[in-house]
Amino acid sequence: VQAVFRSNLSHLLELMGSGKESLIFMKKRTKRLTAQWALAAQRLARKLGSVWRDQKQILVHIGFLTEESGDVFSPRVLKGGPLGEMVQWADILATLYVLGHGLRITVSLKELQSNLGVPPGRGNCPLAMPLPFDLIYTDYHGLQQMKQHMGLSFKQYRCRIRVIDTFGTEPAYNHEEYATLHGYRTNWGYWNLHPRQFMTMFPHTPDNSFMGFVSEELNETEKQLIKGGKASNMAVVYGKEASIWKGKEKFLGILNKYMEIHGTVYYESQRPPEVPAFVKNHGLLPQPEFQQLLRKAKLFIGFGFPYEGPAPLEAIANGCVFLQSRFSPPHSSLNHEFFRGKPTSREVFSQHPYAENFIGKPHVWTVDYNNSEEFEAAIKAIMRTQDFCAAPGPAPLGARAPPSPFVLAPNATHLEWAQNASLAPGAWPPAHSLRAWLATAGRACTDACLDHGLICEPSFFPFLNSQDAFQKLQVPCDSTESEMNHLYPAFAQPGRECFLQKEPLLFSCAGASAKYHRLCPCRDFRKGQVALCRDCL
Ligand code: UDP
């Protein structure tokens, strides 16, 4: 069946069900963005013309919202709890729906079982049954539930699963045997999926797929309106939960010398003690009202938590400067509770590394908050800056439209193409875009490629995993071994040893060791659309 673009989202809103606050939040978002989705669908339909697209049958099982996994998020929707995940799920659902696919949505184990066709009372059905879906989008909670209730089908159909995984899963943590043997076994990893089946909120490592979410853009009229309506001395604090404000009196005191401080902190009956009296607290706002507040403000200021949420991008889109703290030393699973047990070795150098690295000044300022002078100087400098809504300055990767493969539907198809192709190596991206580099010792391929203005492309690893490749790069190998190691292929200077990768699932852009010069498959990319190389379409 041919997939036909849809512009009317009312059936999707029905499919999304009701009851839970989390679903209500998601539905409100989808409803509010209906006109933009419809426009995107029309634009994409025009662009693709008569290109045939298969209609896929897709199950979306949102595991973290099921009672069976505790559903800790829904009761906190109206109390300042995390909303970023719901923003992303709402946008994934809308994308799949607008693209014309057949959708089923489940938020309970019972619904999951009935959709998978598991007979009642036979949760551990040992037989592999035909799966009525081409694709399943879920999360780690959902994955666990499917493993328990699909019997043999789980193994048989694992390649149809896509895991929405905010912070990502690096190959070393994904490979069960390797993770167990080498200390990478965590609460979440070791599923032996293809690393590209994990889809992240931001582009952490290209080993995973960058799913992203929708960041709204303003039209020209809105931009002009905002420009006129900005209060140059108004700041909004990033943090809906009072605990985020704890111990920040000093910074708030400094900021208060220059700006009127607004907050959207949830409170029960009185002002939370963490929020000083000079702050104008609006309480937790509905998303559109929060965005209206950002339209008036000059500054959106983060105090280190939450990590990597959507709010800073919304603030920037609404013409705010985002000021955030630099982390030194960087936060990681080794030194920070929040990242502990997460299947990633990533070091986080600021509250929002994506905003820092892909957007940067003049929209994003990352400073050392431990240095009061630097902090105060940044505030003063930001107050002197003009409004960027109409004319943003240059930024590394095009700050206006943050480089997400998910900025409204047209790009979401690119994402699909990339996704399908990358699971069938060799087809896409074309091999001619490969740029191989031998990294300096201790450098991960993610960073080594970026050092050259390129991105690491894990699907190219097989091309580099040979003696021939080492030879072409004139690496002086005295010996060559083939072993399981997520840093291979690599070269070790002492002993002039070359190492090849024995296990394709362990090819990894992430990861580094002072012992190795890694052999890195890089490629170029389009500004604002890192999923695509420059001449690949
Ligand atoms: N948000 C909201 N009301 C508020 C503050 C924030 O609806 O008073 C929304 C905001 O628009 C954003 C979402 O909360 O899309 C998630 O924001 P954040 O970056 O804080 O990530 P989280 O930690 O909630 O996942």
Side-chain angles (χ1 to χ4, degrees), residues 88 190 483:
Q88 192 184 32
Y190 60 87
E483 285 170 20

Side-chain angles (χ1 to χ4, degrees), residues 323 365 367 372-383:
L323 175 63
W365 292 58
V367 307
S372 305
E373 278 150 35
E374 192 181 331
F375 178 74
E376 191 159 350
I379 292 170
K380 285 202 246 178
I382 289 168
M383 288 190 70

Side-chain angles (χ1 to χ4, degrees), residues 336-487:
H336 257 257
E337 203 44 54
F338 182 85
F339 287 106
R340 191 155 296 153
K342 294 200 166 46
T344 167
S345 65
R346 200 162 62 98
E347 295 184 306
V348 175
F349 287 85
S350 60
Q351 178 173 4
H352 206 299
Y354 178 87
E356 180 186 3
N357 299 326
F358 287 82
I359 304 175
K361 274 183 185 171
H363 306 275
V364 179
W365 292 58
T366 306
V367 307
D368 177 7
Y369 281 25
N370 291 324
N371 180 340
S372 305
E373 278 150 35
E374 192 181 331
F375 178 74
E376 191 159 350
I379 292 170
K380 285 202 246 178
I382 289 168
M383 288 190 70
R384 283 195 303 270
T385 57
Q386 303 157 16
D387 207 316
F388 313 117
C389 283
L397 279 174
R400 283 287 276 298
S404 157
F406 208 150
V407 178
L408 290 182
N411 301 324
T413 23
H414 294 160
L415 180 69
E416 268 200 348
W417 292 335
Q419 178 73 12
N420 292 339
S422 64
L423 292 177
W428 197 95
H432 66 73
S433 62
L434 167 63
R435 306 279 174 277
W437 286 94
L438 190 70
T440 49
R443 201 96 180 117
C445 287
T446 38
D447 300 323
C449 292
L450 283 177
D451 291 344
H452 299 284
L454 302 166
I455 191 159
C456 179
E457 176 53 67
S459 62
F460 287 158
F461 267 116
F463 297 121
L464 297 188
N465 197 38
S466 68
Q467 270 179 320
D468 187 42
F470 277 106
Q471 230 164 33
K472 275 196 188 127
L473 283 165
Q474 297 177 334
V475 182
C477 310
D478 280 354
S479 66
T480 307
E481 304 264 1
S482 181
E483 285 170 20
M484 258 172 54
N485 187 321
H486 69 290
L487 305 175

